[in-house]
Amino acid sequence: MNLIQNARISSGKGNEIQMVNILFDDKIREISTEPINQSVSQIIELEGKLLIPGCIDAHVHFNDPGYTHHETFTTGTTAAAFGGITTVIDMPCTSVPPVTTRKNLERKLAVIEKKAVVDFALWGGIRKNDFPLSKNQILELWNSGVVGIKIYTISGMETFQALSYDDIQNVFKQFPYLLFAFHAEDAEIIQNATLKLTPEELAKPENYLRSRPAEAEIKAVKKILKIGRNNRIHFVHVGSSEAANLILRKKKQMDVTFETCPHYLQFTAEDYPKLLGRLKTAPPVKNESDRKFLRVCLKNEDVDFITTDHAGCDWETEKNLTDFSKVYSGIPGTQLMIPYLFSEFYQKEKVPLSTLIKLTSENAAKRYGLFPRKGSLQIGTDADFTVIDLEKPLKVDEKKLQSIGKYSPFQGDTFRCSIARTIVRGETVFESGNGIQVKPGFGKWVKREY
Ligand SMILES: [Zn+2]
């Protein structure tokens, strides 16, 4: 048994907090405002630091196996642990094999299980490459415990091709009860917008949004909401206010959720000429009105949760290029999301603590069938804790990122807080000043439970 003393936790109501002591082994055994008198093997004194349910990054690309020059499960989960993330959910598309069948999932698991330092769940996916689809294969994949099925309406990946709206409609009919996640950008709009620009124009960072305009996101979201009104749908990385608004208006009528990412909350397309490859990802960041709207969505809990869409690559050969159209799309964000969100929204914007907890763990855990084992501080659930030091700032130095991707649009920024400790199933996996405390292989696969 272990004991955490003097942790400041949310009471669940707004900014109300409680000072508590927590008794735990791999599960939470007792939480008390009174001293806990029991013989324990370890006492962790938090001196009033903030303790929240272990954070979940529900959208990462860790590329393992297959594209390990971009990220391995060890570098990715190490970055997560440094960033206070206790569970990551890895996308199905950026590995070889992709997670499109149970067999592929097992092949991937055999590799990554030995490498993870924090817990992980997995996305399954449907790609055009596998058409005509085997219904049994998809059901088998779903039943093996993936959190959902990811589909692309546009894809730059040969090994994970996009589906047409007709394909999607057929998939919706075949699998009415599965949860589907969409990368929603209309392929035709992007193709046409790109054709209108010369290679010289496409090479310039200031034209990136013109080549992938917000209209693409808006049209794809609109279309999927229409054909999927009887399905369970999640939209990943929404960056457009109008797309977000379309989703919000449908929330009462259908089972739909969406996420956004720190880059959409902090940057706009005006930042591309300055931040260059550091900010390039797809979909692009958009305009100030979009950024403002998404920040309001966060404050109002209209957005369901925040993820990073973490995707790293080699800075020198894939990002630091003069032709912006050739620059790899992807931002490695999992190490910085929690310090950024708590600094920007809890400390600066005074968003209630209870809201930030929902958006960084609880809501994702509920959506993906992991709650209350993950994303809660209930007795009997996994002892996953993120400890934040609100008094120790973090100056972003991209050279010190644990990801293979050593770059960040937040380079040089100072966040008001930092991660003091990351605890997964009762074990400290990361401690500020001492780094990673467990061996690769400590992190376990977490299956969707409902
Ligand atoms: Zn992604």
Side-chain angles (χ1 to χ4, degrees):
M1 242 5 126
N2 300 304
L3 181 65
I4 284 176
Q5 281 182 341
N6 298 310
R8 223 150 41 106
I9 67 167
S10 168
S11 75
K13 280 179 252 150
N15 268 329
E16 199 180 277
I17 51 145
Q18 288 174 318
M19 194 71 91
V20 297
N21 303 307
I22 304 173
L23 187 70
F24 61 99
D25 41 28
D26 59 331
K27 308 275 185 207
I28 301 173
R29 299 301 174 191
E30 188 182 346
I31 299 181
S32 174
T33 53
E34 303 293 318
I36 295 174
N37 296 312
Q38 187 165 334
S39 65
V40 292
S41 49
Q42 190 195 12
I43 294 176
I44 300 172
E45 172 57 55
L46 289 191
E47 296 170 325
K49 287 191 187 72
L50 184 64
L51 180 146
I52 56 174
C55 295
I56 298 173
D57 186 350
H59 185 159
V60 301
H61 298 266
F62 284 171
N63 302 295
D64 206 349
Y67 302 108
T68 47
H69 58 295
H70 284 161
E71 201 75 275
T72 72
F73 233 74
T74 302
T75 55
T77 54
T78 298
F82 269 69
I85 305 290
T86 55
T87 305
V88 295
I89 312 187
D90 189 54
M91 282 296 167
C93 46
T94 33
S95 63
V96 182
V99 185
T100 47
T101 63
R102 185 188 196 123
K103 210 177 232 161
N104 284 1
L105 183 146
E106 281 163 2
R107 279 171 60 196
K108 179 170 169 127
L109 259 184
V111 175
I112 65 177
E113 257 176 346
K114 300 182 199 117
K115 296 189 175 184
V117 301
V118 300
D119 284 354
F120 58 94
L122 295 172
W123 281 94
I126 292 179
R127 55 177 186 164
K128 185 72 178 183
N129 315 49
D130 293 330
F131 274 52
L133 271 189
S134 151
K135 190 170 180 175
N136 281 343
Q137 232 169 42
I138 299 303
L139 291 177
E140 205 179 55
L141 178 64
W142 171 255
N143 291 330
S144 66
V146 295
V147 299
I149 303 289
K150 173 90 177 278
I151 291 172
Y152 285 76
T153 61
I154 183 170
S155 159
M157 300 165 288
E158 257 323 295
T159 52
F160 208 98
Q161 291 163 2
L163 268 54
S164 70
Y165 297 122
D166 284 344
D167 295 333
I168 293 169
Q169 194 156 18
N170 286 331
V171 167
F172 278 157
K173 277 193 199 133
Q174 264 188 297
F175 307 103
Y177 43 87
L178 306 197
L179 176 65
F180 293 101
F182 287 92
H183 177 130
E185 281 183 298
D186 187 81
E188 208 180 305
I189 290 183
I190 289 174
Q191 203 178 19
N192 290 337
T194 307
L195 285 173
K196 274 189 201 137
L197 297 167
T198 65
E200 292 73 39
E201 287 171 319
L202 285 170
K204 291 183 181 156
E206 56 266 43
N207 291 325
Y208 181 47
L209 180 56
R210 280 173 69 199
S211 74
R212 272 185 108 104
E215 289 68 39
E217 195 169 304
I218 296 159
K219 187 182 165 194
V221 165
K222 199 180 272 181
K223 191 87 193 181
I224 290 162
L225 285 172
K226 194 172 165 204
I227 59 181
R229 59 189 172 276
N230 297 316
N231 291 83
R232 301 173 58 209
I233 293 171
H234 177 73
F235 289 101
V236 297
H237 50 46
V238 172
S240 138
S241 58
E242 203 175 325
N245 231 327
L246 286 168
I247 297 163
L248 289 174
R249 271 186 253 138
K250 288 284 179 205
K251 272 206 162 184
K252 286 211 176 87
Q253 301 152 41
M254 59 185 278
D255 184 358
V256 60
T257 51
F258 77 103
E259 70 191 37
T260 191
C261 313
H263 37 276
Y264 303 110
L265 294 164
Q266 194 62 24
F267 304 105
T268 69
E270 305 226 317
D271 294 311
Y272 279 121
K274 187 177 63 173
L275 296 174
L276 303 169
R278 288 183 173 83
L279 187 57
K280 187 175 180 187
T281 187
V285 298
K286 303 197 166 61
N287 297 312
E288 181 58 15
S289 56
D290 298 288
R291 189 181 84 96
K292 269 198 180 139
F293 185 83
L294 290 168
R295 289 169 77 96
V296 174
C297 284
L298 183 151
K299 287 176 199 170
N300 295 342
E301 297 178 17
D302 280 338
V303 63
D304 293 276
F305 40 90
I306 315 294
T307 68
T308 63
D309 194 11
H310 178 106
C313 70
D314 179 57
W315 166 256
E316 218 37 65
T317 56
E318 296 175 283
K319 278 289 193 183
N320 196 18
L321 311 176
T322 42
D323 182 346
F324 201 72
S325 68
K326 302 266 184 329
V327 170
Y328 184 80
S329 283
I331 298 172
T334 201
Q335 191 172 337
L336 299 174
M337 174 168 76
I338 300 304
Y340 163 71
L341 289 174
F342 278 78
S343 171
E344 183 70 18
F345 293 98
Y346 180 58
Q347 292 177 288
K348 257 160 89 182
E349 299 277 342
K350 310 293 178 205
V351 172
L353 181 57
S354 59
T355 297
L356 279 153
I357 289 172
K358 283 182 198 159
L359 301 188
T360 54
S361 64
E362 189 181 321
N363 288 359
K366 284 178 174 165
R367 186 58 164 164
Y368 298 137
L370 309 174
F371 190 84
R373 179 175 167 198
K374 302 295 187 189
S376 87
L377 293 182
Q378 292 179 25
I379 305 304
T381 66
D382 283 0
D384 292 353
F385 310 122
T386 300
V387 181
I388 300 177
D389 190 338
L390 295 169
E391 269 140 44
K392 191 177 167 205
L394 171 70
K395 185 163 181 0
V396 178
D397 176 357
E398 58 191 7
K399 296 280 171 291
K400 288 187 186 153
L401 293 178
Q402 300 297 312
S403 167
I404 287 177
K406 305 240 180 282
Y407 57 89
S408 167
F410 293 100
Q411 168 64 5
D413 290 355
T414 300
F415 303 141
R416 293 184 187 182
C417 59
S418 54
I419 303 302
R421 199 185 275 261
T422 307
I423 298 174
V424 178
R425 285 176 281 106
E427 290 284 337
T428 294
V429 298
F430 165 79
E431 193 184 354
S432 176
N434 293 320
I436 296 295
Q437 304 291 301
V438 296
K439 290 210 164 60
F442 172 78
K444 292 265 179 300
W445 180 32
V446 192
K447 294 185 199 184
R448 173 179 51 80
E449 283 173 14
Y450 49 87

